[in-house]
Amino acid sequence: ELIMEVLSGMSNENEVTLPIEENEKTEATAPVAAAAEVKQPKASSKMTMADVMASTKFEIREGMRVKVTVIRSDETGVYVSGLGKKDGFIAADKVTDGEYKPEDYTAGMKFTAIVIPNTNVSKDYIALDKRKFDEIEEMDKALLDGVFELKIDKAVEKGGLLGKKGSFTVFIPASHIELHRVEDADLQSYVGKKLMVKKLPDKKGEEAADGKRHRIVASHKEVLIAEKKAAREKAEQEWQEKKAREEEEKKAIFDANRDRFEVNNVVPGTVKRFTDFGAFVNVYGFDCLAPKTELSWIKGQAPADILEIGKEYEFVIIKVDAENYKVSLSYKLLQKRPYEIAQEKYPVGSIVTGKVQTIVNFGAFISIEPGVDGLVHVSNISDKRLNSPADVLKVGDEVTAKVISFVDNRMALSIKDAQEPAEGAAEAKEGEKRVRNNARPQQERKGKKSAGDEISKEEQEIVQNFGTTESVQNNILGDLLKGFTPSDEK
């Protein structure tokens, strides 16, 4: 209701400053400053149209819109009727914003013009301006159909903003000024500013009334939303175009280096950027991918821990997808495996320290350093007979062990061999063993093994699967278990 009152007030104000009504002779909507004086004829006489025109006196005001009819035209301008007792004249420079041609304005042609001050025209004529009317009509059409610039003239408390454009009073509700809500205290700061606005759709039943009153409700927020959407669409289009260009360039570079892009070829590449799934490497100007799993033999390492952006390395091509223009690289295949390094660093006979990582029925895996593990068989944990490695070890224990063998990149360890035996303990144990062996029958000694040396069928399957499963991906535990055979008890 407040908005409607504000618009109504501004509408009345508009009628004074910029009259938009047409003369009563041609339209029944022309407000007259002073009431028209009409001479009342006698009841018995018959009135003709000429009598009505002659008996009616109009008050013609500047700014009024009037419909007129062309009487004649010449090089000076167009003479028109339809203004009561006086005719009107439209100077040549007031007829159109284009080239004026008298022959285009023939007698009987009708159009609308605006009353202007009579400065150069004979007082016998009313001065009119058709060009100005056409400009306002175009402006009004733009207001209704598109986006236009509006200077804010007034702030309405608890309402919004007001301005004038063309023949319209424009109201912007507070909720349509910005993308966010504008508080009443901030409305005054918009006075004097220019905003790009767009007319809001008319509410049902209000279109005709508002059209007559020449008022519209507009929104700056809708313009901002449209601009934001347009910017997003433009950015998307530019990205798509850039992507298309890059794809074309990518194909051209690939085709130029097709002979070089073959599996097992070693190529130089410069690291461009890292992702969660690997590193992009530029090879001969072509972007290739080195998957994370192909960067290091050690699991869990981030690409940034292995490579450096901008630095050149050697890679080996492991896959080429010529149809989709993709090349996959490996860095780790050109690097020593952890056990190759470990074999040099920890030769047989070395004493190492590590933590118990995993315990199984037949032994324990000891982590020496990242990517390097060793297996301690249950028979090499202690001099005492054990039912399970868990009898003396638990995950996380730090232990000292001796490297006793390196076979096919598998490190075997012994905890008991790393311990210094008590004086005479070894000799006593050996003597005890000889006595025990001599005491047993020959047949009994042949076919039996100690409980610690036995590996069940199920355990053998675990060993075999662990060592050959593809998902292990060169894990040291799998390498150790693969083909492992428990040693006989000493």
Side-chain angles (χ1 to χ4, degrees):
E1 292 179 1
L2 175 62
I3 293 174
M4 297 304 296
E5 289 177 8
V6 171
L7 288 176
S8 178
M10 290 300 296
S11 176
N12 294 333
E13 210 175 288
N14 191 46
E15 289 177 1
V16 174
T17 59
L18 181 60
I20 61 172
E21 302 79 7
E22 298 164 356
N23 56 312
E24 192 169 278
K25 176 184 174 184
T26 54
E27 292 287 325
T29 59
V32 181
E37 298 179 4
V38 180
K39 295 180 180 180
Q40 298 294 336
K42 295 180 180 180
S44 60
S45 62
K46 293 183 180 180
M47 294 185 66
T48 65
M49 180 60 67
D51 294 333
V52 174
M53 295 296 297
S55 63
T56 304
K57 183 171 69 177
F58 289 95
E59 178 78 18
I60 302 297
R61 295 180 301 160
E62 293 179 10
M64 287 182 63
R65 297 182 177 191
V66 292
K67 282 188 176 180
V68 295
T69 304
V70 175
I71 301 173
R72 61 186 175 85
S73 62
D74 56 26
E75 296 298 329
T76 61
V78 180
Y79 294 86
V80 296
S81 63
L83 301 170
K85 292 183 177 181
K86 287 187 177 182
D87 291 331
F89 177 74
I90 307 172
D93 62 341
K94 304 292 184 182
V95 177
T96 178
D97 58 357
E99 182 183 357
Y100 169 65
K101 296 179 180 180
E103 61 269 21
D104 292 341
Y105 299 90
T106 57
M109 180 184 292
K110 297 180 183 294
F111 52 75
T112 303
I114 294 177
V115 178
I116 60 174
N118 192 337
T119 56
N120 300 322
V121 182
S122 170
K123 300 300 180 182
D124 294 334
Y125 294 97
I126 297 172
L128 301 173
D129 192 329
K130 178 180 181 297
R131 186 181 67 182
K132 185 176 181 180
F133 172 80
D134 293 341
E135 290 174 352
I136 293 176
E137 282 289 293
E138 288 297 320
M139 187 181 297
D140 288 351
K141 183 179 180 181
L143 300 187
L144 299 176
D145 298 338
V147 176
F148 58 93
E149 184 180 72
L150 177 70
K151 182 180 179 181
I152 305 303
D153 298 324
K154 186 178 180 180
V156 182
E157 186 178 355
K158 295 183 179 179
L161 304 172
L162 284 170
K164 293 180 181 178
K165 192 74 173 180
S167 63
F168 283 90
T169 296
V170 183
F171 176 71
I172 307 175
S175 60
H176 278 272
I177 298 175
E178 301 288 354
L179 294 174
H180 58 275
R181 170 74 184 188
V182 176
E183 300 299 330
D184 293 336
D186 299 327
L187 291 176
Q188 195 64 34
S189 65
Y190 286 89
V191 175
K193 291 183 177 180
K194 295 180 179 179
L195 301 178
M196 298 303 296
V197 298
K198 179 181 180 181
K199 179 181 178 297
L200 289 173
D202 295 303
K203 292 183 179 179
K204 188 176 181 180
E206 292 184 359
E207 184 174 0
D210 285 355
K212 289 181 180 180
R213 296 175 184 176
H214 276 245
R215 64 187 186 187
I216 59 176
V217 179
S219 171
H220 178 55
K221 182 173 76 172
E222 291 297 320
V223 175
L224 295 177
I225 292 174
E227 289 177 348
K228 193 173 182 180
K229 180 181 178 181
R232 185 168 57 249
E233 291 176 348
K234 182 180 178 182
E236 175 68 19
Q237 182 180 358
E238 290 177 349
W239 182 82
Q240 292 290 353
E241 292 174 353
K242 180 182 177 182
K243 186 178 179 182
R245 289 195 303 270
E246 290 177 347
E247 283 297 316
E248 290 301 319
E249 292 174 0
K250 181 178 179 180
K251 292 176 182 179
I253 296 172
F254 183 92
D255 291 335
N257 294 278
R258 189 177 290 269
D259 294 341
R260 293 176 170 181
F261 292 143
E262 294 185 358
V263 175
N264 295 328
N265 279 5
V266 176
V267 294
T270 302
V271 180
K272 291 186 63 177
R273 66 183 186 276
F274 297 133
T275 66
D276 293 338
F277 49 84
F280 282 97
V281 182
N282 186 278
V283 179
Y284 305 132
F286 186 85
D287 282 352
C288 306
L289 174 65
K292 185 177 179 180
T293 55
E294 292 297 329
L295 295 179
S296 175
W297 292 107
I298 300 174
K299 289 184 177 182
Q301 283 192 304
D305 296 334
I306 306 162
L307 305 175
E308 183 179 338
I309 290 180
K311 192 172 181 179
E312 184 176 283
Y313 302 86
E314 284 193 334
F315 298 85
V316 61
I317 298 177
I318 58 174
K319 183 179 179 181
V320 177
D321 184 352
E323 183 177 349
N324 295 304
Y325 298 93
K326 293 181 180 180
V327 178
S328 298
L329 308 174
S330 176
Y331 178 70
K332 74 178 184 180
L333 290 177
L334 299 179
Q335 313 304 313
K336 288 184 177 181
R337 294 171 181 260
Y339 272 95
E340 293 175 339
I341 299 173
Q343 194 166 2
E344 297 174 359
K345 189 175 180 179
Y346 308 112
V348 174
S350 301
I351 302 297
V352 296
T353 301
K355 287 187 177 181
V356 177
Q357 185 181 33
T358 308
I359 296 176
V360 292
N361 291 336
F362 47 83
F365 291 99
I366 311 299
S367 176
I368 308 304
E369 61 181 52
V372 179
D373 300 320
L375 173 65
V376 181
H377 187 258
V378 65
S379 62
N380 288 319
I381 294 177
S382 173
D383 289 329
K384 297 179 181 179
R385 184 181 298 274
L386 302 175
N387 293 324
S388 170
D391 292 344
V392 293
L393 298 175
K394 64 179 181 294
V395 174
D397 282 352
E398 187 172 288
V399 298
T400 299
K402 183 178 181 179
V403 180
I404 59 175
S405 70
F406 258 107
V407 179
D408 296 332
N409 292 330
R410 293 188 294 274
M411 179 190 288
L413 303 174
S414 174
I415 294 176
K416 70 178 183 180
D417 288 346
Q419 299 172 350
E420 295 183 2
E423 187 177 351
E427 291 81 1
K429 181 178 179 180
E430 185 64 28
E432 180 182 347
K433 184 177 179 181
R434 285 196 299 270
V435 171
R436 186 170 62 251
N437 288 340
N438 292 333
R440 287 185 296 179
Q442 185 73 14
Q443 184 178 0
E444 182 182 351
R445 291 199 301 271
K446 282 184 178 179
K448 290 190 176 181
K449 292 184 179 180
S450 63
D453 289 341
E454 294 180 356
I455 297 180
S456 66
K457 182 177 181 181
E458 180 181 356
E459 291 172 341
Q460 291 175 2
E461 291 178 355
I462 292 174
V463 172
Q464 183 65 23
N465 291 335
F466 199 93
T468 60
T469 301
E470 185 178 351
S471 63
V472 174
Q473 295 182 347
N474 297 310
N475 185 277
I476 302 308
L477 303 184
D479 286 341
L480 289 172
L481 287 170
K482 184 178 178 181
F484 179 81
T485 303
S487 61
D488 291 332
E489 187 177 278
K490 294 181 180 178

